[in-house]
Amino acid sequence: MEESFTNSFKLSGKQWLIIIFSNLLAYCCLIMPGIQIPDFLAFDENHPSIVAAIFQLIVVTVFLAIQIIGAQIATNNRWRQLFHFPHAKEWLLIAAFFIVAYVTSVVTGIISQNIFGSVSGNAAAGLTLKSPHVWTIFFYQRFSSAIQIMGEEFLAIMPLLALTQLATSLHLPAPIWWGNIGSALVFALLHLSTYDYNLGYVILGLAFTRIVLNLAFIKTHNIWVSFLVHFLFDTLAFLVLLLATK
């Protein structure tokens, strides 16, 4: 399986530089508005306005689009081979990886909180069943999150593939695991600002869950699978927190 995986999306160093640069540029475009925009453009339970909703959609769409454009420039449509409509077996794998990811997140989250303390960061933290238009906000946020989550899959899977190819070229043992762990650590570190710059929490609380999501892709070579696991995971976590704050 390793040989098939490492040979399925082999690119030159220049191509990987273009893709990774687009990942970083997209990430900057995602986080910069949160630093500089006025409060009325931050879509949340306090500002559930049409203007804020449109602005958020623009931000997450740019985040995804930059990475797709980078992949297109670097590979000339080859990136599309990382996607195919899930077949029957893959739907079963989506369900299985979703369960594993959720259990992993709960366990590592409890351990992380006990060791490193609690953190903020969940977008549903201020939303309760008593919030006006709560379900409209909930479903809008799921739609917006779907776009962002696909961008996050590019942000994780591209480094996974690049690091796996690098580990293979260096003749390191188990190159897939070098790529998987490296990708998970990068993904976790990119969430530092979201989780109060708590390094221990993001590494323990996020990296292991990301490893499971990466495994969903490695097993199927299909970003739709890891995306759907990620989306279902986030949706359930969001819903549980919402219902817990009724």
Side-chain angles (χ1 to χ4, degrees):
M1 186 179 82
E2 284 200 6
E3 184 177 352
S4 171
F5 180 80
T6 53
N7 290 333
S8 63
F9 200 71
K10 196 170 185 179
L11 304 176
S12 68
K14 180 180 178 180
Q15 288 173 307
W16 280 124
L17 284 175
I18 293 172
I19 290 174
I20 299 302
F21 174 77
S22 72
N23 291 154
L24 293 174
L25 178 60
Y27 174 75
C28 291
C29 291
L30 179 68
I31 64 171
M32 285 304 292
I35 298 172
Q36 299 183 1
I37 63 169
D39 287 343
F40 76 91
L41 285 179
F43 185 92
D44 55 27
E45 71 284 352
N46 296 316
H47 311 96
S49 67
I50 296 297
V51 172
I54 292 173
F55 181 78
Q56 186 179 80
L57 283 177
I58 291 172
V59 171
V60 296
T61 300
V62 169
F63 171 59
L64 174 59
I66 288 174
Q67 296 183 86
I68 291 176
I69 291 170
Q72 176 68 28
I73 292 172
T75 70
N76 191 27
N77 287 331
R78 277 191 62 197
W79 63 274
R80 295 185 181 183
Q81 73 186 54
L82 302 175
F83 294 84
H84 61 264
F85 187 80
H87 51 67
K89 183 179 178 181
E90 288 179 337
W91 285 107
L92 293 175
L93 288 172
I94 289 168
F97 276 108
F98 164 66
I99 294 170
V100 174
Y102 198 81
V103 171
T104 300
S105 175
V106 170
V107 172
T108 57
I110 291 172
I111 295 172
S112 299
Q113 189 166 344
N114 287 333
I115 297 175
F116 303 108
S118 60
V119 295
S120 61
N122 194 296
L127 188 64
T128 73
L129 292 179
K130 295 180 180 179
S131 300
H133 312 295
V134 57
W135 292 113
T136 301
I137 297 172
F138 173 81
F139 286 113
Y140 163 76
Q141 288 180 326
R142 292 302 84 213
F143 174 70
S144 173
S145 291
I147 301 172
Q148 180 171 330
I149 287 169
M150 179 56 79
E152 291 183 3
E153 287 306 301
F154 270 88
L155 203 60
I157 299 304
M158 292 307 178
L160 164 64
L161 292 166
L163 291 170
T164 299
Q165 183 176 318
L166 177 62
T168 301
S169 67
L170 295 175
H171 305 290
L172 297 176
I176 287 179
W177 281 101
W178 284 98
N180 193 357
I181 294 171
S183 164
L185 288 174
V186 169
F187 185 82
L189 291 173
L190 291 176
H191 285 77
L192 269 173
S193 61
T194 304
Y195 292 93
D196 304 332
Y197 296 93
N198 189 326
L199 180 61
Y201 186 95
V202 298
I203 290 178
L204 182 55
L206 273 68
F208 284 93
T209 304
R210 185 64 242 182
I211 285 173
V212 175
L213 297 176
N214 285 347
L215 287 172
F217 170 77
I218 290 169
K219 180 69 175 177
T220 61
H221 297 191
N222 187 3
I223 291 181
W224 280 122
V225 171
S226 59
F227 163 79
L228 287 169
V229 174
H230 192 166
F231 178 76
L232 290 172
F233 169 84
D234 272 24
T235 299
L236 180 59
F238 193 108
L239 186 59
V240 166
L241 184 58
L242 171 61
L243 296 176
T245 55
K246 63 182 178 180

